[in-house]
Amino acid sequence: QVQLVESGGGLVQAGGSLRLSCAASGRTFSRYTMGWFRQAPGKEREFVAAITRPISSTYYTDSVKGRFTLSRDNAKNTVYLQMNSLKPEDTAIYYCAASSGYIAQAMGAYDYWGQGTQVTVSS
């Protein structure tokens, strides 16, 4: 069982930055691929970024490439999503998820989910 707690969301102006954190419980954090998804009002949840295990390869959806950076600190059981050059279309609830598999972008591959953190980008 893995519990995930997101933090770092908030309100920011367009062009600004936020860093989301996802803290995981348990001693097997390094065995999980960690992903971030987001859901905007009236839209389906979509993949944002993922970092795999054991090699920390990263994957990003096209709309955030070059602006978002995902990293993990296995010693702290935490993943970080650094979001720069934020746009109003980045406004959504951001969810952290953990997968015991290798498929990084498939929502169905993730076993555990956090409660989400709201990110609002004003124009």
Side-chain angles (χ1 to χ4, degrees):
Q1 189 79 7
V2 175
Q3 293 185 325
L4 304 172
V5 178
E6 304 98 333
S7 62
L11 173 64
V12 65
Q13 289 188 330
S17 298
L18 285 174
R19 188 177 79 157
L20 304 184
S21 299
C22 174
S25 65
R27 294 177 290 180
T28 59
F29 174 76
S30 63
R31 299 180 184 178
Y32 288 91
T33 288
M34 301 299 296
W36 284 93
F37 292 77
R38 66 186 180 187
Q39 188 166 18
K43 295 187 177 181
E44 294 186 351
R45 193 171 298 188
E46 64 174 359
F47 170 78
V48 177
I51 186 164
T52 63
R53 55 86 183 181
I55 298 173
S56 295
S57 298
T58 52
Y59 299 86
Y60 301 93
T61 193
D62 286 345
S63 62
V64 308
K65 285 180 181 177
R67 301 188 298 121
F68 290 12
T69 303
L70 182 57
S71 61
R72 68 189 300 162
D73 185 336
N74 289 334
K76 296 183 177 180
N77 283 10
T78 303
V79 291
Y80 305 98
L81 184 65
Q82 179 67 43
M83 306 187 297
N84 299 328
S85 303
L86 282 162
K87 304 175 181 180
E89 51 263 44
D90 294 318
T91 296
I93 299 174
Y94 283 70
Y95 297 90
C96 176
S99 170
S100 57
Y102 295 95
I103 301 173
Q105 300 182 31
M107 194 162 58
Y110 288 82
D111 308 295
Y112 304 100
W113 292 83
Q115 293 299 308
T117 185
Q118 176 71 48
V119 171
T120 304
V121 184
S122 63
S123 56

